[in-house]
Amino acid sequence: MKEIIEDTEYDDQYEPVEMVKNDGFRNGVPTTFYTITVEADFDDEFVEILEEFDLDVSGYILETIILAYLEYGKAELIDNIVSFDTEMSTFVAYADTEENQHEIAALIQKLCTSKKAFKKIIKENLEEIRTKYS
């Protein structure tokens, strides 16, 4: 559902992914931000998968999993991510355009609603995930 509060547009069309569109400044330049967020504990069954691999439930772990999934499925989209602002409990990325925001959010939703795909990406990238965040 799309909701507009003041100058910010919130959209959970790709739940558990939330998209936020708002205006602000980057390095003093007026900018529109196309934010993509996912809470690290978005679903209990996916939390159990992380725990099965002895991984922390964190935005940082989720970022690594999401990037591996994007690289596997549509690597060119990674270039359309302007930056990350991931936190302990939340994955946060900024897309360069609204179209790319939607495309990235849809792919992340696909990952975050398929236990099989989620588990497969972790298995295939477990060493990298552990090395990056241990």
Side-chain angles (χ1 to χ4, degrees):
M1 180 176 98
K2 192 180 279 190
E3 181 178 6
I4 299 174
I5 301 174
E6 294 183 15
D7 293 338
T8 303
E9 185 178 296
Y10 299 89
D11 191 345
D12 64 354
Q13 171 183 352
Y14 302 104
E15 195 172 329
V17 180
E18 181 176 85
M19 299 182 301
V20 178
K21 177 182 167 189
N22 65 332
D23 294 322
F25 290 88
R26 177 176 282 136
N27 299 326
V29 177
T31 304
T32 299
F33 293 94
Y34 303 100
T35 311
I36 302 162
T37 64
V38 181
E39 295 296 321
D41 60 354
F42 64 90
D43 182 283
D44 290 342
E45 292 180 18
F46 287 82
V47 167
E48 289 174 11
I49 292 170
L50 291 170
E51 291 171 348
E52 177 183 324
F53 288 98
D54 199 29
L55 296 170
D56 292 331
V57 180
S58 79
Y60 304 113
I61 296 291
L62 194 55
E63 179 180 310
T64 304
I65 295 166
I66 289 170
L67 282 172
Y69 183 72
L70 290 175
E71 192 171 297
Y72 173 78
K74 238 178 170 182
E76 66 275 8
L77 276 179
I78 294 172
D79 293 335
N80 298 317
I81 297 174
V82 176
S83 65
F84 295 93
D85 193 14
T86 298
E87 300 171 2
M88 188 60 187
S89 64
T90 310
F91 163 81
V92 181
Y94 298 97
D96 58 355
T97 67
E98 188 170 7
E99 296 80 30
N100 287 329
Q101 178 191 39
H102 280 266
E103 191 170 356
I104 293 165
L107 283 170
I108 294 171
Q109 179 194 43
K110 196 178 218 181
L111 172 67
C112 293
T113 55
S114 169
K115 290 181 278 193
K116 183 178 178 181
F118 194 77
K119 203 172 202 175
K120 179 181 178 191
I121 289 297
I122 292 172
K123 277 184 183 177
E124 292 175 356
N125 296 279
L126 187 57
E127 197 59 42
E128 179 186 342
I129 294 167
R130 286 195 173 135
T131 301
K132 193 168 184 179
Y133 292 108
S134 58

